[in-house]
């Protein structure tokens, strides 16, 4: 812990921000020690973009003495393309964006949906939800249609279940109310001449006789002309009278994305019998989202500025947790400076997949063994429990002794450059891999390792060891 | 969407189906609704999964009378070690193993899409029932793996060498029950298992790396009580036992007799079968061999000329080898793909002797684990297009295999959203010919 980073001015300003955004008394009372600057920046980038901080940005940040440098870093990240990738990644899990099975978006539809999610990262959340709920058109050219097309069971009841689960984090114990399901009674897909392309449209002729008048999930009647598409009215209800539930669901998910656990757990089971651990905080976060004009970045900003999220890791502070599959693989790639390879079985012949970071992959059918081993969700359902961040022996094996990790080290350009220099490499090794400067003891151990033999081999061993530390593979 | 209501619905459907007689063709005896549970002998499964769907006519259900438009150049089936049983002419070694095999000629499900058919064959559930069901390997991993007393260092569910890819093998059981895919090529000079070896890294260097890591993991030392940190460290220690200890020797095909390796065939499928035997010997309960390349729409017979001899040597030697080692009685060998191929050959361009997908009728092969050898279940018409007696649906096969493994049908599998569901539902109305009592 670098005590100089705990500048009094910073603390005062952070507390002021914290109070201003209304993160309550319960939060500040605990008054946990804040993490140091290096830890903060690494945590910020991992939690809100899924990537390690770029090396140059990290060095710049550690040299920055301005009292508001943390707020500046938060704002810069939330305005960057990395945030859009992160938002699209989180929502691709929820919308089950996958070319094949059990969702069948097909590669074109998966890419279109992912592109829409990415481009919509700046859209206010009420308009984001409205666009998804009222979607019509071809799943290949209008990515927003992917939400409905990814639902394998094409019945009004399942559409209603999906809307309730994805947007309100509500699960149904019984069949959805027939009046709520009636909002989707005319939804139909029709094929086009193009392979696997389908157009989603509203067909009043499909509505069975005796279908009740459409209503919101809570039973509020929706004023819709007979046979007309009730989904715009449903969206208006979700973002109007139903907005508390809508905002609380996203606030809880966002809290979980940034802290490892929701205020309500499971994050997708919001109901009266399952209260939040801190009801006032969840209400405040929901109010922050609504009052900002549904700017989800305002919600993130409030959490990222809070004393809770900036607390030191461990004990009752910030929860230490294994990095998610995609995030860990991207961290290995960016720390070493080598891209990864992907495969997809679909369609045949196999498509060429660009060298994207795992977090930016547009399609759940594109994968590799690493992602599967580290618990990437199969996107079979929209449930958060599908993702597993639990450690396993196979994962440890893959990090300790696999060609994949070894090749990343061997091919690393900066390790090669360091091998040709004669300066102390400890600073760069630690900054690039662990995103912090080494301690005196670590610097000494590094020197011992280098004295032992050939420099490149020693550098490879050091990089390998740092990549295998629990510090590297966790958010903390 | 997964909801608890699905369970009610499934349960209700089950009650309904159980009240109906199983769908059987006239003349067949009614099959019991609940699979019999004899003292199970099967401890392990080797699943040879023929990705893409092999032609039943060219393998286990030849139709010499159908003529060249159906048989192509493979119109002369051969006699086997079972009187009266003929199989494809490209499988002479397997022909000598038929007394150990049950040939399921009545396989059917009607689906012609790879992904849906693969899911049907391995999870034995129709797609779109609101749940993503696990395949048999994941079920065995759940019920015979680490949560059920398995102590082996080798993973309980191993895939040689790549995952299936088209659907998630573990379904709602989640990532913990995905198979471990070895990667690499067992037929290569130096077979490297993913996560077991790094080429050119000596044991000395492995050990010095281990020490370096211990010295540099100050974060773990600073958080000794943290649950995540403890679990990560425990997994690392176990991984080292596997990497540096004896368990990894199961992957070392260099310890096998060269002549035996030759008999299996020095190709990916042959050496994978040999490796599967070694893994089962070491206690692994489920090994899947993903044998790709059977989706032969074009120039089918050229591919068969290459692939059938490999299949023949690999599986025949596996059965003989398991039998000689006394392992066949406790090991189920299951050979087949997601469907068969269209009996009528497409001679015209661009197919030039191709076969399409055929889910209405195809064949699977079972041996070992208590299977009664020399049996044939079901039959197709004179062209192999439709099943005419004793259909074998995915449910029937799944119920038989789980029964042979001693897994009770009402064993509960946990669902991610809470609650649980029975391993085996009742036979689906119209889509079951009953448990394969004929081969038990």
């Amino acid at each position: 812990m670098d005590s100089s980073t705990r500048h009094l001015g910073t603390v005062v300003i952070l507390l002021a921000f914290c109070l201003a955004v209304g993160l309550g008394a319960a939060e500040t009372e605990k008054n946990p020690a804040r993490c140091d600057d290096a830890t903060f920046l690494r945590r910020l980038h991992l939690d809100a973009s899924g990537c390690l901080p770029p090396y140059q940005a990290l060095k710049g940040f550690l040299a920055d003495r301005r009292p508001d440098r943390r707020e500046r870093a938060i704002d810069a990240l939330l305005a960057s393309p990395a945030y859009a990738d992160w938002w699209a990644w989180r929502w691709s899990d929820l919308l089950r964006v996958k070319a094949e099975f059990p969702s069948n978006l097909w590669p074109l539809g998966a890419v279109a949906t992912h592109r829409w999610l990415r481009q919509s990262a700046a859209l206010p959340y009420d308009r984001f939800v409205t666009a998804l709920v009222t979607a019509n058109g071809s799943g290949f050219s209008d990515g927003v249609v992917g939400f409905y097309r990814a639902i394998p069971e094409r019945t009004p009841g399942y559409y209603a279940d999906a809307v309730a689960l994805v947007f309100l984090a509500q699960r149904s114990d019984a069949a959805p109310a027939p009046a709520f399901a009636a909002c989707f009674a005319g939804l139909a897909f029709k094929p086009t001449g193009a392979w696997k392309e389908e157009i989603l449209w509203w067909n009043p002729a499909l509505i069975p006789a005796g279908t009740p008048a459409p209503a919101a999930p809570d039973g509020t009647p929706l004023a819709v002309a007979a046979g007309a598409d009730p989904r715009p009215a449903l969206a208006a209800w979700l973002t109007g009278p139903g907005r508390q539930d809508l905002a609380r669901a996203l606030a809880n998910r966002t809290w979980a994305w940034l802290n490892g656990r929701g205020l309500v757990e499971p994050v997708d089971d919001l109901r009266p019998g399952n209260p939040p651990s801190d009801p006032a905080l969840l209400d405040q976060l929901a109010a922050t989202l609504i009052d900002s004009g549904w700017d989800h970045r305002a919600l993130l900003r409030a959490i990222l500025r809070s004393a809770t999220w900036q607390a030191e890791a461990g004990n009752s502070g910030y929860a230490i947790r294994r990095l998610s599959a995609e995030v860990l693989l991207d961290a290995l790639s960016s720390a070493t400076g080598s891209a990864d390879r992907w495969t997809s079985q679909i369609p045949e012949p196999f498509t060429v997949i660009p060298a994207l970071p795992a977090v930016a992959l547009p399609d759940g059918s594109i994968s590799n063994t690493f992602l599967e081993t580290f618990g990437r969700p199969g996107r079979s359902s929209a449930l958060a429990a599908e993702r597993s961040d639990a450690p396993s022996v196979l994962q440890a094996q893959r990090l300790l002794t696999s060609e994949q990790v070894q090749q990343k080290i061997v091919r690393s350009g900066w390790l090669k450059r360091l091998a040709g220099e004669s300066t102390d490499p400890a600073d760069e090794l630690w900054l690039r891999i662990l995103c912090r400067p080494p301690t005196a003891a670590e610097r000494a151990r590094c020197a011992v390792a280098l004295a032992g033999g050939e420099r490149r081999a020693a550098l490879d061993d050091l990089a390998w060891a740092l990549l295998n530390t629990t510090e590297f593979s966790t958010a903390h | 969407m997964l909801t608890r209501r699905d369970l009610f619905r499934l349960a209700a459907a089950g009650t309904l189906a159980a009240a109906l007689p199983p769908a059987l063709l006239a003349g067949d005896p009614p099959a019991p609704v609940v699979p019999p549970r004899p003292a199970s002998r099967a401890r392990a499964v080797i699943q040879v999964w023929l990705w893409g769907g092999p032609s039943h006519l060219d393998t286990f259900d030849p139709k010499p009378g159908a003529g060249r438009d159906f048989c192509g150049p493979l119109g002369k089936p051969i006699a086997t070690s079972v009187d009266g049983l003929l199989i494809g002419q490209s499988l002479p070694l397997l022909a000598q193993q038929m007394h150990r095999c049950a040939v399921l000629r009545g396989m059917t499900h009607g689906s012609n899409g790879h992904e849906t058919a693969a899911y049907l064959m391995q999870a034995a559930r129709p797609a779109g029932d609101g749940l993503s069901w696990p395949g048999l390997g994941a079920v065995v991993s759940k019920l015979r793996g680490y949560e059920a007393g398995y102590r082996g260092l080798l993973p309980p569910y191993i895939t040689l060498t790549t995952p299936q890819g088209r659907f998630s093998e573990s379904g709602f059981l989640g990532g913990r029950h995905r198979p471990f895919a070895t990667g690499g090529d067992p037929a290569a000079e130096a077979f490297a298992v993913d996560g077991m070896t790094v080429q050119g890294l000596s044991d000395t260097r492995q050990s010095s790396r281990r020490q370096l890591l211990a010295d540099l993991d100050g974060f773990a030392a600073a958080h000794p009580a943290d649950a995540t940190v403890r679990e990560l460290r425990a997994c690392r220690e176990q991984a080292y036992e596997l990497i540096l200890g004896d368990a990894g020797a199961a992957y070392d095909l260099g310890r096998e007799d060269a002549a035996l390796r030759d008999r299996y065939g020095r190709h990916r499928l042959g050496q994978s079968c040999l490796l599967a035997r070694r893994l089962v010997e070491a206690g692994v309960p489920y090994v899947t061999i993903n044998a790709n390349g059977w989706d032969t729409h074009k120039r089918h017979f050229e591919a068969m000329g290459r692939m059938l001899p490999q299949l023949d040597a690999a599986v025949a030697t596996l059965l003989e080898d398991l039998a000689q080692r006394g392992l066949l009685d406790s090991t189920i060998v299951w050979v087949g793909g997601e469907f068969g191929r269209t009996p009528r050959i497409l001679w015209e361009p661009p197919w030039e002797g191709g076969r399409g997908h055929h889910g209405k009728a195809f064949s699977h092969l079972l041996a070992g684990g208590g299977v009664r050898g020399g049996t044939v279940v079901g039959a197709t018409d004179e062209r192999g297009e439709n099943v005419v007696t004793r259909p074998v649906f995915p449910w029937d096969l799944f119920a038989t295999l789980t029964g042979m493994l001693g897994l009770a049908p009402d064993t509960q599998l946990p669902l991610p959203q809470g609650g649980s569901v029975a391993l085996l539902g009742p036979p689906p109305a119209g889509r079951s010919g009953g448990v394969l009592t004929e081969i038990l």
Side-chain angles (χ1 to χ4, degrees):
Chain A
M1 168 70 65
D2 176 5
S3 63
S4 70
T5 62
R6 285 205 228 145
H7 190 277
L8 183 62
T10 315
V11 175
V12 170
I13 286 167
L14 285 171
L15 279 173
F17 269 116
C18 177
L19 292 171
V21 299
L23 290 190
E27 287 302 307
T28 44
E29 262 167 27
K30 283 184 244 158
N31 197 21
R34 283 179 188 260
C35 63
D36 61 34
D37 271 359
T39 304
F40 163 84
L41 198 72
R42 181 180 187 270
R43 188 186 291 179
L44 171 66
H45 279 257
L46 287 173
D47 278 0
S49 75
C51 309
L52 289 180
Y55 181 54
Q56 295 303 335
L58 173 66
K59 288 214 296 190
F61 183 74
L62 293 180
D64 190 348
R65 305 312 325 147
R66 289 175 296 189
D68 61 345
R69 58 185 175 277
R70 292 196 182 191
E71 292 69 52
R72 286 171 180 271
I74 292 169
D75 290 347
L77 186 68
L78 294 183
S80 73
Y83 172 73
D85 281 337
W86 177 85
W87 174 260
W89 171 56
R90 290 301 194 185
W91 275 88
S92 292
D93 278 357
L94 279 171
L95 302 189
R96 303 188 261 181
V97 178
K98 193 178 184 188
E100 192 180 73
F101 211 81
S103 298
N104 280 317
L105 291 177
W106 302 102
L108 275 178
V111 168
T113 304
H114 183 265
R115 188 191 304 122
W116 184 85
L117 287 169
R118 211 176 165 281
Q119 287 170 347
S120 305
L123 208 60
Y125 188 62
D126 57 340
R127 288 171 56 196
F128 179 83
V129 172
T130 300
L132 287 165
V133 170
T134 62
N136 280 317
S138 157
F140 287 1
S141 50
D142 304 310
V144 68
V145 172
F147 167 54
Y148 285 107
R149 182 138 190 214
I151 301 165
E153 307 86 3
R154 293 181 169 178
T155 65
Y158 278 110
Y159 293 140
D161 280 347
V163 167
L165 180 65
V166 170
F167 300 115
L168 302 176
Q170 291 171 2
R171 306 178 186 184
S172 47
D173 272 324
F180 176 36
C183 293
F184 311 94
L187 273 191
F189 285 93
K190 58 183 172 190
T192 73
W195 184 72
K196 301 292 187 189
E197 186 183 37
E198 289 181 314
I199 291 177
L200 177 67
W201 66 304
W202 182 262
N203 180 4
L206 280 184
I207 304 171
T211 300
D218 70 343
T220 306
L222 299 173
V224 188
D229 185 353
R231 291 177 300 149
L234 174 64
W237 179 88
L238 281 169
T239 56
R243 63 180 173 271
Q244 281 304 330
D245 286 350
L246 184 69
R248 284 160 57 90
L250 183 68
N252 188 51
R253 286 193 199 277
T254 307
W255 184 269
W257 289 334
L258 301 186
N259 291 289
R261 264 186 81 75
L263 294 164
V264 179
E265 277 289 328
V267 292
D268 34 30
D269 194 11
L270 266 57
R271 58 188 155 84
N274 186 24
S277 55
D278 187 339
L281 178 57
L282 184 57
D283 287 344
Q284 281 172 343
L285 292 170
T288 302
L289 177 61
I290 295 172
D291 295 347
S292 68
W294 295 97
D295 179 359
H296 45 85
R297 283 172 298 190
L299 174 62
L300 263 91
R301 201 174 284 121
I303 298 171
L304 295 172
R305 287 177 173 184
S306 72
T308 304
W309 184 83
Q310 292 194 17
E312 278 189 0
N315 300 322
S316 57
Y318 179 90
I320 298 169
R321 54 196 191 268
R322 205 207 76 206
L323 297 178
S324 289
E326 298 91 327
V327 178
L328 180 57
L329 183 51
D330 286 348
L332 286 162
S333 298
S334 73
T336 51
S338 66
D340 230 281
R341 291 186 193 152
W342 315 110
T343 56
S344 175
Q345 302 284 324
I346 313 134
E348 300 162 64
F350 308 145
T351 36
V352 175
I353 301 149
L356 293 164
V359 166
L361 288 176
D363 173 356
S365 293
I366 299 173
S367 197
N368 68 17
T369 309
F370 188 101
L371 295 183
E372 302 301 313
T373 305
F374 282 80
R376 185 199 209 198
R379 294 183 178 167
S380 299
S381 72
L383 293 167
E386 253 197 66
R387 178 179 290 283
S388 169
D389 291 341
S392 78
V393 178
L394 285 176
Q395 294 166 7
Q397 246 180 287
R398 182 153 283 274
L399 292 172
L400 293 169
T401 47
S402 69
E403 284 297 332
Q404 189 179 15
V405 173
Q406 177 68 8
Q407 286 307 313
K408 283 180 182 298
I409 295 169
V410 169
R411 287 201 228 104
S412 169
W414 64 268
L415 278 169
K416 185 181 176 192
R417 176 178 48 74
L418 280 183
E421 296 170 359
S422 54
T423 50
D424 178 3
D427 279 312
E428 188 165 349
L429 274 166
W430 262 258
L431 279 174
R432 282 193 185 269
I433 297 176
L434 297 182
C435 304
R436 65 168 174 85
T439 63
E442 287 164 341
R443 197 182 292 280
R445 183 65 181 88
C446 177
V448 171
L450 286 165
E454 201 259 316
R455 185 171 163 96
R456 178 63 208 257
L459 284 169
D460 285 359
D461 288 351
L462 280 161
W464 172 89
L466 294 180
L467 293 169
N468 270 284
T469 55
T470 49
E471 183 174 357
F472 182 81
S473 60
T474 55
H476 51 73
Chain B
M1 200 67 33
L2 289 172
T3 64
R4 272 161 274 204
R5 132 174 148 258
D6 291 317
L7 304 185
F8 296 130
R9 198 177 39 111
L10 291 169
T15 317
L16 194 66
L20 299 167
L24 288 174
L25 298 177
D28 282 332
V33 166
V34 176
R37 293 185 58 205
S40 68
R41 288 189 274 179
R43 297 276 170 274
V45 178
I46 297 174
Q47 179 193 8
V48 183
W49 180 250
L50 305 177
W51 250 127
S55 162
H56 47 303
L57 269 70
D58 302 335
T59 55
F60 303 114
D61 194 11
K63 299 289 175 186
R68 188 171 172 277
D69 279 350
F70 292 81
C71 303
L74 303 180
K76 296 194 180 74
I78 51 174
T80 68
S81 58
V82 176
D83 276 351
L85 174 61
L86 302 181
I87 66 170
Q89 68 196 63
S90 307
L91 305 172
L93 299 171
L94 266 172
Q96 295 313 308
Q97 298 292 327
M98 281 299 118
H99 58 288
R100 298 190 161 117
C101 300
V103 184
L104 312 182
R105 284 178 172 166
M107 288 307 313
T108 181
H109 53 58
S111 172
N112 286 338
H114 288 290
E115 74 285 355
T116 308
Y119 175 76
L120 269 171
M121 283 309 298
Q122 304 194 57
R125 303 278 181 160
D129 71 352
L131 291 174
S132 175
W133 289 84
L136 182 60
V139 167
V140 169
S141 167
K142 172 78 187 168
L143 301 177
R144 289 281 184 268
Y146 291 116
E147 293 164 40
Y150 177 73
R151 298 254 180 274
L153 285 170
L154 296 167
Y157 177 19
I158 298 180
T159 286
L160 309 177
T161 56
T162 55
Q164 307 222 337
R166 293 303 274 265
F167 74 102
S168 169
E169 292 97 329
S170 58
F172 60 68
L173 291 179
R176 292 167 58 86
H177 298 291
R178 286 207 180 115
F180 168 60
T182 59
D185 179 1
E189 190 61 39
F191 170 47
V193 176
D194 249 359
M196 285 294 292
T197 50
V198 174
Q199 291 192 15
L201 203 65
S202 65
D203 285 357
T204 321
R205 194 156 163 212
Q206 280 269 29
S207 299
S208 79
R209 276 188 167 192
R210 190 181 188 180
Q211 186 56 52
L212 187 60
L213 171 55
D215 293 347
L216 292 181
D217 202 0
F219 183 82
H223 296 93
D226 184 83
T228 304
V229 172
R230 288 168 68 112
E231 206 175 342
L232 284 166
R233 293 182 79 174
C235 288
R236 185 197 294 164
E237 291 313 307
Q238 282 187 56
Y240 265 124
E241 274 187 59
L242 185 55
I243 295 161
L244 301 175
D246 293 333
Y251 293 116
D252 186 0
L253 292 176
R255 299 180 184 220
E256 289 290 330
D257 176 49
L260 181 64
R261 292 190 71 177
D262 290 344
R263 276 167 53 210
Y264 272 97
R266 297 276 183 166
H267 37 73
R268 184 183 285 263
L269 177 57
Q271 299 301 301
S272 293
C273 282
L274 172 56
L275 181 54
R277 191 220 78 210
R278 287 184 64 84
L279 293 172
V280 164
E281 242 172 349
V284 176
Y286 204 101
V287 182
T288 299
I289 298 163
N290 276 321
N292 295 325
W294 295 90
D295 194 20
T296 47
H297 289 276
K298 296 180 182 176
R299 299 175 180 274
H300 166 84
F301 292 98
E302 285 174 34
M304 289 304 104
R306 191 175 61 249
M307 294 166 71
L308 288 176
Q310 294 191 357
L311 179 72
D312 190 40
V315 177
T317 308
L318 175 65
L319 295 178
E320 184 64 38
D321 197 12
L322 285 170
Q324 283 184 12
R325 288 164 190 264
L327 286 169
L328 190 59
D329 207 33
S330 59
T331 306
I332 300 171
V333 177
W334 171 22
V335 184
E338 66 267 43
F339 37 53
R341 304 206 77 77
T342 44
R344 184 183 287 279
I345 299 160
L346 299 161
W347 292 113
E348 68 275 21
W351 318 111
E352 300 179 73
R355 292 190 190 272
H357 302 172
H358 197 71
K360 278 198 298 184
F362 55 106
S363 301
H364 269 217
L365 192 75
L366 286 180
V371 162
R372 190 140 58 86
T375 45
V376 177
V377 184
T380 54
D381 59 26
E382 69 278 8
R383 291 171 164 181
E385 288 174 331
N386 295 290
V387 177
V388 291
T389 53
R390 184 28 162 137
V392 183
F393 287 91
W395 185 94
D396 309 335
L397 182 55
F398 191 85
T400 305
L401 291 170
T402 50
M404 287 167 67
L405 287 162
L407 305 173
D410 56 354
T411 308
Q412 296 295 303
L413 300 175
L415 292 168
Q417 71 271 37
S420 63
V421 66
L423 163 66
L424 188 66
R431 302 192 60 80
S432 171
V435 171
L436 299 166
T437 47
E438 302 95 320
I439 65 164
L440 297 174

